[in-house]
């Protein structure tokens, strides 16, 4: 939640200055290097130069909490209790429901967008900065905040100007938008980015499960790979368009990567400082009784030379701090610009199919096979660690698992990238999935997948009552059937019911039982029927004309299932009269 890029909040200048000093102090206090996951440490993880903020943001660039993580590692011994004042162990404690929501979102996105590499710690960092982990985990059992968390109205008075977009549905403000919920989405962003993270059928920005999953999808859009620093920077800047915000989120991200633990809901540490107040940041929260010297703010000056770097010839005779490594009199060798070794992506010449089988699925079903693509050099050698983008193209509602139509996957040691499973939609026909190499212009590789209509291979009546009727009457029982496919319920299967002339002649009969259409007219063929979610199909009432006899009703479905039902129209039996008495003698 930051001021719009290129402008400052009314009260934010002091906060920004203090936060910048705190960031510098924190950087100086932590040893540079690489952590145990092979990532760049926080002190060295400066934003990539090419990172730039996007035009919009998830939060409308609203204010945010500026408290920085403690300098102490968040890995205390198990016996160490929470420290008063919100330092150390307390700061690394994340409320149980909130932590579960972050981890569930990471798991979901690992399947839906495997190329994004979203860590749950990033969601925790943003959640900390945006709302103090849902205000210390003040959520109910379903993950919904006890009270709404709202940012200030974005009326252009020191903030961005965003007039109302939701008629106050989420923020209660019908004049201007406000950031809503634990991840602080503005309503116009939530309208398309919202997700149902807890499976209750709703997309609620006030629910931590929904908000965390939405934030994950938002950060993973545009095929960003968050394991790459430059793309991670762009994703964070797109969430809130501020370099100060980016630096702060990165600090919390690296802090939580070093360790975090679960605390009971409602007991999390509440932040103290925001970017829209004059209090400034509190970079080094202290434990009572401890004193921490305030960091000084050095004025910018020329960058000093490194102690080990000798002065260039002609530099005034100053003795270098290290003896020259080249003996005097040795002819100088012209310097050769260092050559940058090619990346794996640079060596890719083409993509090859890696044994993808025929891709076929019925509408609504998951495809049983996945697309496999191998990246190869010109000589046919496999190339590992190359990002392959799979894109579903054309007019189709088929998606990858999770509802996405784009997925980016890195090739394994065999040079193979396996796309997520495809989920067939309701539109039948051919679906094209295109594989391309991210960052390399080589011809794409198209795969064809076929979506067939829902089918059944068996039909059976649900009852065995005789279907009889008197001439001109109505059949007392309606015909009900159940459709299955390979023994499983066949739902949504198209069916047709026809009154036929005979078992050998499936043409429509012109006499005997019939159905009625909406206007009450006689019809003997029904089309456009479909089985319900349980594979059941109940036909409308049947009527009889004056023709008596035995008739056949045939029900057929997509996939070839057929059932023939016998109907009987007969006059009611009458008892024969008793013989009349003869004449009396």
């Amino acid at each position: 939640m930051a001021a719009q890029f290129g402008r400052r909040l009314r009260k934010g200048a002091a906060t920004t200055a203090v936060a910048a000093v705190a960031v510098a102090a924190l950087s100086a206090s932590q040893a540079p290097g690489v952590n145990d996951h092979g990532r760049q440490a926080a002190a060295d993880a400066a934003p990539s130069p090419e990172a730039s903020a996007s035009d919009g943001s998830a939060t409308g660039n609203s204010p945010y909490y500026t408290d920085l993580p403690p300098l102490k590692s968040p890995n205390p011994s198990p016996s160490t209790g929470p420290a008063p004042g919100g330092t150390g162990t307390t700061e690394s404690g994340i409320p149980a429901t909130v932590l579960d929501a972050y981890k569930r979102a990471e798991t979901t996105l690992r399947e839906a967008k495997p190329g994004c590499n979203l860590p749950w710690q990033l969601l925790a960092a943003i959640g900390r900065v945006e709302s103090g982990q849902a205000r210390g985990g003040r959520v109910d059992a379903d993950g919904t905040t006890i009270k709404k968390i709202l940012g200030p109205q974005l009326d252009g008075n020191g903030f961005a100007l965003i007039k109302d977009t939701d008629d106050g549905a989420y923020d209660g403000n019908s004049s201007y938008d406000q950031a809503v919920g634990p991840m602080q989405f503005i309503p116009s962003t939530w309208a398309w980015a919202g997700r149902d993270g807890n499976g209750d059928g709703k997309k609620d920005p006030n629910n931590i499960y929904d908000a965390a999953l939405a934030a994950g999808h938002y950060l993973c859009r545009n095929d960003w790979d968050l394991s790459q620093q430059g793309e991670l920077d762009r994703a964070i800047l797109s969430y809130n368009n501020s370099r100060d915000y980016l630096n702060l989120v990165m600090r919390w991200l690296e802090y939580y990567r070093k360790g975090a633990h679960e605390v009971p809901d409602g007991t999390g540490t509440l932040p103290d400082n925001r970017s829209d107040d004059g209090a400034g940041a509190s970079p080094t929260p202290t434990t009572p009784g401890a004193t921490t010297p305030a960091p000084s703010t050095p004025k910018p000056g020329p960058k000093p030379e490194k102690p080990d770097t000798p002065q260039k010839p002609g530099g005034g005779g100053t003795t270098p701090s290290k003896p020259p490594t080249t003996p005097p009199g040795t002819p100088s060798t012209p310097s050769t610009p260092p050559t940058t070794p090619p990346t794996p992506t640079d060596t890719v010449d083409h993509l090859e199919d890696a044994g993808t089988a025929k891709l076929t699925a019925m509408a609504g079903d998951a495809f049983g096979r996945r697309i496999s693509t191998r990246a190869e050099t010109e000589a046919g050698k496999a190339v590992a660690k190359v990002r392959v983008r799979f894109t579903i193209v054309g007019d189709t509602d088929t998606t990858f698992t999770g509802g996405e139509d784009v997925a980016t996957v890195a090739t394994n040691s065999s040079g193979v990238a396996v796309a997520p499973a495809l989920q067939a939609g309701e539109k039948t026909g051919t679906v094209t999935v295109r594989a391309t190499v991210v960052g390399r212009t080589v011809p794409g590789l198209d795969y064809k997948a076929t979506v067939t209509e829902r089918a059944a291979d068996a039909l059976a009546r649900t009852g065995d009552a005789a279907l009889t009727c008197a001439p001109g009457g109505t059949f007392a029982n309606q015909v009900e059937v159940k459709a299955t496919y390979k023994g499983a319920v066949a739902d949504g299967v198209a069916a047709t019911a026809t009154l036929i002339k005979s078992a050998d002649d499936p043409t429509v009969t012109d006499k005997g039982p019939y159905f009625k259409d909406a206007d009450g007219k006689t019809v003997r063929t029904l089309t456009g029927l479909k089985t319900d979610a349980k594979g059941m199909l109940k036909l409308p009432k049947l009527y009889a004309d004056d023709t008596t006899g035995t008739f056949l009703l045939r029900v057929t479905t997509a996939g070839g299932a057929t059932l023939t039902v016998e109907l009987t129209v007969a006059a009611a039996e009458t008892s024969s009269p008793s013989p009349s008495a003869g004449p009396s003698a």
Side-chain angles (χ1 to χ4, degrees):
M1 306 188 306
Q4 236 174 342
F5 199 68
R7 58 187 293 188
R8 292 295 179 199
L9 301 173
R10 288 174 298 170
K11 300 178 181 180
T15 299
T16 301
V18 175
V21 173
V23 169
L26 185 61
S27 298
S29 68
Q30 294 174 339
V34 178
N35 63 25
D36 56 358
H37 297 288
R39 300 184 182 91
Q40 195 175 13
D44 288 339
S48 299
E50 71 274 17
S52 61
S54 64
D55 295 333
S57 74
T59 68
N61 300 320
S62 300
Y64 57 92
Y65 289 106
T66 57
D67 297 38
L68 288 168
L71 302 180
K72 187 179 178 181
S73 167
N75 279 321
S77 64
S79 61
T80 304
T87 63
T89 308
T90 305
E91 290 293 315
S92 63
I94 300 176
T97 299
V98 178
L99 180 59
D100 182 59
Y102 296 152
K103 291 186 175 181
R104 185 183 297 187
E106 178 195 58
T107 300
T108 299
L109 284 158
R110 189 183 301 131
E111 176 69 21
K113 295 187 175 182
C116 178
N117 297 306
L118 172 84
W120 67 260
Q121 292 92 339
L122 175 58
L123 298 177
I126 291 176
R128 168 71 194 198
V129 170
E130 293 293 349
S131 69
Q133 311 298 17
R135 288 185 175 160
R138 285 158 178 78
V139 296
D140 63 19
D142 295 323
T144 302
T145 56
I146 303 299
K147 294 182 179 180
K148 284 190 175 182
I149 302 174
L150 296 174
Q153 68 175 15
L154 300 174
D155 57 4
N157 189 15
F159 310 110
L161 173 60
I162 304 178
K163 293 185 178 180
D164 176 66
T165 61
D166 66 327
D167 199 24
Y170 292 119
D171 53 17
N173 189 336
S174 58
S175 299
Y176 301 95
D177 272 354
Q178 295 175 245
V180 181
M183 303 304 279
Q184 289 290 278
F185 279 94
I186 54 174
S188 57
T189 302
W190 184 262
W192 60 265
R195 293 293 194 278
D196 177 15
N198 61 353
D200 65 355
K202 298 183 294 184
K203 300 175 183 178
D204 183 2
N206 300 295
N207 182 277
I208 185 58
Y209 288 98
D210 295 359
L213 184 59
H217 276 279
Y218 187 93
L219 294 164
C220 287
R221 74 196 194 287
N222 300 328
D223 293 336
W224 281 325
D225 178 359
L226 304 187
S227 66
Q228 303 296 318
Q229 187 66 50
E231 295 188 27
L232 174 61
D233 293 349
R234 278 187 281 272
I236 297 172
L237 284 171
S238 79
Y239 205 88
N240 197 306
N241 200 341
S242 163
R243 282 283 172 172
D244 293 336
Y245 180 89
L246 168 61
N247 291 335
L248 186 59
V249 169
M250 282 300 303
R251 298 296 169 187
W252 280 107
L253 168 59
E254 292 301 328
Y255 183 78
Y256 286 132
R257 275 175 169 166
K258 294 175 183 176
H261 65 281
E262 176 182 300
V263 298
D265 289 343
T267 65
T269 303
L270 294 176
D272 295 321
N273 306 282
R274 283 166 38 111
S275 60
D276 61 334
D277 63 35
S282 177
T284 53
T286 59
T287 304
T291 58
T292 303
S296 59
T297 307
K299 295 183 179 180
K303 185 177 180 180
E305 291 187 4
K306 294 182 180 179
D308 290 344
T309 303
Q311 287 193 342
K312 296 179 181 179
T318 302
T319 305
S321 59
K322 291 180 69 176
T325 55
T326 304
T330 303
S332 61
T333 304
S335 60
T336 303
T339 57
T340 303
T343 66
T345 301
D346 295 332
T347 67
V348 176
D349 177 75
H350 59 274
L351 293 175
E352 287 284 345
D353 177 43
T356 303
K358 185 177 181 181
L359 300 168
T360 303
M362 285 197 302
D365 289 352
F367 282 76
R369 305 273 186 174
R370 296 189 181 193
I371 295 171
S372 297
T373 299
R374 183 171 55 251
E376 296 184 353
T377 64
E378 185 176 6
K381 184 179 178 181
V383 185
K385 298 181 180 180
V386 171
R387 294 166 61 209
V388 176
R389 179 182 296 127
F390 297 95
T391 306
I392 300 173
V393 298
D395 182 18
T396 179
D397 56 354
T398 292
T399 64
F400 292 114
T401 303
E404 306 298 328
D405 56 12
V406 178
T408 304
V409 183
T411 57
N412 60 20
S413 58
S414 300
V416 175
V418 180
L422 285 166
Q423 176 68 40
E426 294 301 322
K427 291 183 180 179
T428 59
T430 301
V431 177
T432 300
V433 180
R434 181 165 299 149
T436 55
V437 179
V438 177
R440 178 78 168 162
T441 304
V442 297
L445 187 61
D446 284 355
Y447 293 84
K448 301 296 182 182
T450 303
V451 179
T452 61
E453 62 181 335
R454 295 171 182 257
D457 57 12
L459 283 172
R461 276 191 68 191
T462 59
D464 56 4
L467 299 167
T468 60
C469 182
T474 304
F475 283 82
N477 298 311
Q478 290 177 247
V479 177
E480 186 177 53
V481 299
K482 182 175 182 179
T484 56
Y485 183 79
K486 296 183 179 179
V489 167
D491 62 312
V493 177
T496 301
T498 308
L499 290 150
I500 61 175
K501 290 182 176 179
S502 69
D504 298 326
D505 185 358
T507 57
V508 182
T509 184
D510 57 358
K511 57 185 178 181
Y514 62 91
F515 299 103
K516 290 182 180 180
D517 64 12
D519 298 325
K521 295 180 180 178
T522 298
V523 293
R524 289 189 167 90
T525 298
L526 296 177
T527 59
L529 305 172
K530 278 193 175 182
T531 60
D532 64 16
K534 296 181 179 180
M536 308 294 288
L537 174 63
K538 191 172 186 177
L539 299 181
K541 287 184 178 180
L542 277 162
Y543 304 88
D545 61 14
D546 293 334
T547 308
T548 59
T550 300
F551 303 90
L552 298 179
L553 170 66
R554 180 162 291 171
V555 183
T556 59
T557 68
T562 301
L563 176 67
T564 302
V565 181
E566 190 174 277
L567 308 173
T568 302
V569 180
E573 293 184 4
T574 57
S575 58
S576 57
S578 59
S580 59
S584 58

